[in-house]
Amino acid sequence: MHKISTSLEKLTIGGCDQLHLQFDDGCQWQGLRSLRYLQFFRVENMECLPKWFTDITALQHLQIWDCESLMRLPEEMQLEKLETIRCHHLRERCGNNKGVEWPKVAHMPNIQIDNRWIQLEGHYQGHKLLKTWRSPCVSGIILEA
């Protein structure tokens, strides 16, 4: 396997129904000291994020799309923004300020689930649909709900 650059700031992993992330061996990923944005999309067999995930200390924005099997998030995630789209298990487990996974994400200032802001700038939004938000992680981008 190739080494991943330590200066990498953005990484997208997706379209992999046969991808098996190493859940016990984080040595390949611990060097990602500059990674600020991570996206997973269509990783069919991923039920939880790997344990090494929390070793990526610079990470600010996590985006997870179409990961139907994903049910659990790691403890102690320190993110500026968590965004999930079409991850039905996570929607049920993280949403509405009461899901099983809510205690793991409640401290995050910005949480968006299926294009609905659950928490924005540290304030619980309930079921409000907000139109735009400027991301502190990716300057100059406006995300529309």
Side-chain angles (χ1 to χ4, degrees):
M1 178 174 265
H2 299 286
K3 282 202 154 204
I4 298 173
S5 171
T6 59
S7 62
L8 186 68
E9 292 184 11
K10 182 177 179 179
L11 177 63
T12 297
I13 300 172
C16 309
D17 57 353
Q18 299 300 316
L19 178 67
H20 294 283
L21 298 170
Q22 296 176 352
F23 288 94
D24 296 326
D25 182 15
C27 63
Q28 295 279 336
W29 304 91
Q30 289 175 351
L32 295 175
R33 291 183 178 88
S34 301
L35 190 67
R36 296 169 46 107
Y37 173 89
L38 177 60
Q39 179 188 48
F40 290 101
F41 73 94
R42 289 191 305 266
V43 180
E44 300 296 328
N45 63 356
M46 184 171 61
E47 293 181 8
C48 63
L49 294 175
K51 293 176 184 177
W52 50 257
F53 178 80
T54 55
D55 293 336
I56 306 172
T57 57
L59 190 64
Q60 295 180 3
H61 185 171
L62 174 63
Q63 199 173 58
I64 306 169
W65 292 13
D66 296 315
C67 294
E68 293 295 324
S69 298
L70 188 60
M71 296 186 66
R72 294 180 310 280
L73 297 171
E75 302 283 341
E76 302 175 17
M77 289 193 307
Q78 301 298 320
L79 300 172
E80 177 67 27
K81 182 179 180 189
L82 172 66
E83 179 181 357
T84 69
I85 296 177
R86 291 181 301 274
C87 299
H88 301 293
H89 294 300
L90 278 186
R91 180 180 60 223
E92 293 172 9
R93 298 170 68 89
C94 290
N96 300 330
N97 199 17
K98 61 183 175 185
V100 177
E101 298 291 301
W102 180 254
K104 296 178 183 179
V105 300
H107 65 281
M108 294 178 196
N110 302 293
I111 302 169
Q112 188 178 25
I113 298 176
D114 289 334
N115 294 320
R116 294 195 179 271
W117 290 103
I118 303 301
Q119 192 148 282
L120 182 63
E121 296 180 5
H123 301 286
Y124 179 70
Q125 300 297 312
H127 297 289
K128 296 178 186 176
L129 180 62
L130 303 178
K131 294 293 181 195
T132 59
W133 176 74
R134 184 168 296 279
S135 170
C137 304
V138 184
S139 62
I141 300 276
I142 296 177
L143 302 175
E144 295 185 3

